[in-house]
């Protein structure tokens, strides 16, 4: 039977899963693809490291060996990072290989050049695993939902932060303790910055928005705020209001351009995303024909991510078999503007510590009024002789007006501290 050779770049968490899954499904390939899929080489950093149940004769630390191997038709990049991954992928495409990648960092930055190079060379560049791991979302957006005008993509696309926020909500933990628990369980890395500061989610939002709205959105276009400032007290208020706090990636295609952001948001307990717990991910989209649709599952991990990668490998292998590679590559045929973040409208929850004195609330309300911020609700708690905690929920307001109001409030001596500013979901 015909063989299709594979070069695997990386044998870490995802690479090991891909290696295992390709072996588990080896006998099915005759039926699903009509060819045998054979891993011919595996690139690793440390060739001397012991690898359980892996044929060590396949290991190499020289990526050029794969480029020069004519039997290799598909390169699977699961090594991560910008370089040398970028150079290897571009060289592989130019050498006529099809490429499958899980590398969100690289795609969120350089998606255009990777896809253009694939197209110029008539090859596939597929990256289902780059967003929400095992959950199918790239292919549904590019294919199954291609008949829709997608206006909205909103998702929980980082499992580590969703786990942390779930522990804070369900067990009353403070952020630091919940992060420690996530690290203990292996969800969060030793350096968790990319997850907890929202950077990992922002990369996924850039990729999803580009595909959903057919217009390139890169990582730096995405407003990003993490969850490090969320406290157990904010969570307690959310509970009182019948809300939960989630780190959401939000992308909207509006008349004035694309809005793209990642930030913690209070959402109603009845919203479908509110019930996404622990390390699970979910993406909620709205299309003009399909209406609302939600995709739910494992956003990371060895086998869930391998599931998405191997799905792409099978797709590329089928395209090779039918001589139709590069059938669907870049779908960004528009050039829409990115909306300035200051012009994006949001609703805000503001918790502050103020002097407990007549006239303070009136002074705060006046500042909001002067900056076009309309107040929806006011709650006062913890009133002591000297200080009180005040929570104000606003109506929808442009981010720039909110920021100007907050700057003025911070300079008032009767306001001791603005403790939290969290966005609240509004239709
Ligand atoms: P990982 O566990 O750190 O594995 C990386 C692998 O690549 C290792 O085998 C490493 O070799 C090899 N490697 C790294 N740099 C190399 C270099 N310069 N030359 C040769 N080999 C090199 O990473 P991972 O968690 O599997 O993630 C891989 C990719 O998948 C990343 O782009 C990540 O964002 C993406 N992804 C991961 C997940 C997940 O759940 N982990 C989910 C979705 C997407 P050694 O083994 O010798 O160190
Ligand atoms: N670190 C990510 C998460 C998984 O916690 O969801 C890789 O994208």
């Amino acid at each position: 039977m015909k063989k299709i050779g594979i070069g695997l770049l990386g044998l870490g968490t995802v690479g090991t899963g891909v290696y295992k899954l390709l072996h588990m499904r080896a006998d099915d390939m005759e039926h699903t693809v009509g060819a045998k899929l054979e891993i011919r080489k595996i690139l690793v950093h440390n060739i001397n490291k012991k690898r359980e149940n892996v044929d060590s004769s396949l290991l190499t630390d020289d990526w050029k060996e794969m480029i020069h191997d004519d039997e290799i038709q598909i390169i699977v990049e699961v090594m991560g990072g910008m370089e040398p991954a970028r150079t290897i992928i571009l060289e592989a495409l130019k050498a006529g290989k099809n490429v499958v990648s899980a590398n969100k960092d690289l795609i969120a930055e350089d998606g255009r050049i990777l896809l253009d190079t694939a197209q110029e060379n008539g090859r596939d560049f597929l990256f289902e695993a780059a967003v929400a791991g095992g959950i199918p979302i790239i292919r549904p957006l590019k294919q199954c939902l291609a008949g829709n005008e997608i206006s909205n993509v909103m998702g929980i696309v980082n499992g580590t932060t969703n786990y942390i926020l779930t522990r804070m909500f369900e067990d009353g933990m403070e952020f630091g303790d919940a992060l420690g628990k996530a690290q203990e369980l292996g969800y969060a890395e030793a350096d968790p910055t990319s997850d907890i500061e929202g950077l990992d989610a922002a990369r996924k939002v850039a990729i999803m928005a580009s595909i959903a709205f057919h217009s390139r959105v890169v990582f730096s276009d995405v407003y990003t705020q993490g969850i490090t400032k969320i406290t157990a007290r904010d969570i307690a208020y959310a509970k009182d209001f019948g809300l939960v706090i989630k780190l959401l990636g939000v992308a909207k295609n509006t008349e004035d351009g694309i809005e793209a952001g990642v930030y913690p948001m209070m959402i109603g307990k009845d919203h479908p995303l509110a019930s996404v717990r622990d390390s699970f991910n979910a993406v909620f989209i709205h299309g003009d024909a399909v209406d609302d649709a939600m995709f739910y599952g494992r956003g990371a991990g060895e086998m869930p991510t391998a599931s998405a990668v191997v799905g792409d490998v099978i797709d590329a292998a089928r395209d090779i078999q039918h001589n139709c590679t590069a059938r669907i590559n870049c779908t960004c045929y528009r050039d829409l503007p990115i909306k300035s973040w200051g012009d994006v409208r949001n609703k805000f929850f503001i918790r502050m510590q103020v002097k407990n004195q007549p006239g303070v609330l009136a002074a705060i309300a006046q500042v909001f009024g002067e900056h076009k911020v309309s107040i929806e609700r006011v709650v006062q708690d913890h009133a002591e002789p000297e200080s009180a905690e005040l929570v104000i929920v606003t109506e929808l307001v442009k981010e720039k007006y909110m920021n100007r109001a907050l700057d003025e409030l911070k300079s008032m001596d009767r306001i001791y501290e603005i403790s939290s500013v969290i966005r609240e979901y509004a239709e």
Side-chain angles (χ1 to χ4, degrees):
M1 188 189 301
K2 186 182 167 185
K3 281 186 190 167
I4 295 177
I6 294 172
L8 187 56
L9 304 174
L11 194 62
T13 305
V14 182
T16 303
V18 171
Y19 185 89
K20 283 185 198 165
L21 196 52
L22 282 172
H23 282 89
M24 281 159 64
R25 294 286 104 80
D27 291 342
D28 301 334
M29 293 304 170
E30 181 188 340
H31 308 288
T32 45
V33 175
K36 207 167 141 52
L37 301 188
E38 183 188 53
I39 298 179
R40 290 180 56 84
K41 286 190 175 61
I42 304 173
L43 180 82
V44 289
H45 193 58
N46 178 1
I47 203 157
N48 298 315
K49 195 155 103 187
K50 180 110 189 66
R51 324 252 171 188
E52 294 289 327
N53 305 319
V54 172
D55 177 356
S56 60
S57 70
L58 300 178
L59 301 178
T60 175
D61 55 7
D62 178 8
W63 59 268
K64 291 194 173 136
E65 280 183 18
M66 298 199 192
I67 306 290
H68 296 137
D69 183 340
D70 291 337
E71 305 290 309
I72 290 182
Q73 289 176 279
I74 303 174
I75 295 274
V76 178
E77 187 273 306
V78 285
M79 61 195 288
M82 299 299 282
E83 285 293 352
R86 184 182 193 275
T87 301
I88 305 176
I89 292 175
L90 290 174
E91 289 303 312
L93 290 167
K94 287 177 196 162
K97 321 269 184 216
N98 299 278
V99 176
V100 171
S101 172
N103 195 332
K104 56 192 144 333
D105 303 38
L106 180 61
I107 297 162
E109 205 75 67
D110 286 326
R112 182 180 292 278
I113 175 115
L114 299 171
L115 284 156
D116 284 354
T117 307
Q119 198 63 45
E120 280 157 22
N121 291 280
R123 293 295 178 265
D124 281 342
F125 178 70
L126 304 172
F127 48 92
E128 185 61 66
V131 178
I135 305 175
I137 187 67
I138 306 290
R139 195 169 280 99
L141 283 171
K142 283 199 178 210
Q143 299 186 39
C144 319
L145 298 168
N148 285 261
E149 186 64 57
I150 307 283
S151 53
N152 226 316
V153 180
M154 186 159 93
I156 295 170
V157 287
N158 183 270
T160 304
T161 45
N162 201 42
Y163 177 80
I164 292 171
L165 291 172
T166 305
R167 293 283 67 80
M168 291 176 76
F169 191 85
E170 294 183 5
D171 306 337
M173 281 186 176
E174 279 295 355
F175 171 76
D177 298 329
L179 170 61
K181 183 100 185 138
Q183 282 172 317
E184 212 179 286
L185 291 172
Y187 292 139
E189 308 212 3
D191 177 2
T193 313
S194 164
D195 291 324
I196 62 179
E197 295 295 355
L199 311 176
D200 173 77
R203 293 184 173 109
K204 294 166 182 168
V205 167
I207 298 169
M208 280 195 295
S210 301
I211 295 165
F213 309 144
H214 307 291
S215 184
R216 183 68 49 200
V217 177
V218 295
F219 174 52
S220 55
D221 294 327
V222 184
Y223 169 87
T224 306
Q225 187 191 327
I227 62 164
T228 54
K229 295 201 173 89
I230 302 292
T231 64
R233 187 136 187 85
D234 298 320
I235 303 258
Y237 273 108
K239 273 188 184 172
D240 277 356
F241 296 167
L243 306 168
V244 290
I245 302 181
K246 294 289 184 189
L247 183 71
L248 293 185
V250 181
K252 292 181 191 165
N253 186 7
T254 74
E255 277 181 7
D256 321 315
I258 294 175
E259 294 178 16
V262 168
Y263 39 84
M265 188 181 261
M266 293 188 175
I267 55 170
K269 277 190 181 142
D270 52 353
H271 191 285
L273 288 173
S275 55
V276 178
R277 297 174 56 254
D278 287 333
S279 63
F280 278 92
N281 283 199
V283 179
F284 185 85
I285 64 122
H286 183 85
D288 58 355
V290 74
D291 199 49
D292 290 339
M294 190 158 110
F295 301 80
Y296 171 88
R298 291 264 172 220
E302 180 184 296
M303 296 313 281
T305 311
S307 160
V309 173
V310 170
D312 278 352
V313 170
I314 291 173
D315 219 13
R318 284 173 170 152
D319 286 352
I320 292 167
Q321 286 291 77
H322 295 280
N323 250 323
C324 61
T325 52
R327 203 166 52 88
I328 310 164
N329 270 324
C330 189
T331 46
C332 290
Y333 53 83
R334 293 175 178 153
D335 192 11
L336 301 173
I338 304 294
K339 198 165 175 178
S340 154
W341 191 252
D343 289 326
V344 171
R345 280 156 53 85
N346 269 309
K347 184 173 170 177
F348 291 86
F349 161 100
I350 302 137
R351 183 166 65 84
M352 58 180 105
Q353 314 307 318
V354 303
K355 201 166 194 169
N356 194 0
Q357 197 181 58
V360 172
L361 186 56
I364 291 170
Q366 184 172 348
V367 171
F368 277 132
E370 280 166 3
H371 290 286
K372 308 184 190 182
V373 182
S374 179
I375 294 171
E376 185 195 271
R377 254 176 297 160
V378 179
V379 177
Q380 186 180 308
D381 201 357
H382 275 247
E384 287 170 13
E386 266 308 294
S387 71
E389 181 165 83
L390 207 60
V391 165
I392 293 180
V393 178
T394 73
E395 292 180 345
L396 280 171
V397 56
K398 282 191 178 175
E399 293 265 343
K400 64 183 172 196
Y401 297 142
M402 189 69 227
N403 284 333
R404 284 174 203 161
L406 288 172
D407 283 346
E408 192 170 334
L409 290 174
K410 278 179 201 156
S411 68
M412 286 169 64
D413 57 6
R414 285 179 289 177
I415 296 182
Y416 298 135
E417 181 190 76
I418 308 268
S419 308
S420 304
V421 180
I422 302 172
R423 293 167 184 83
E424 193 179 305
Y425 180 75
E427 288 281 358

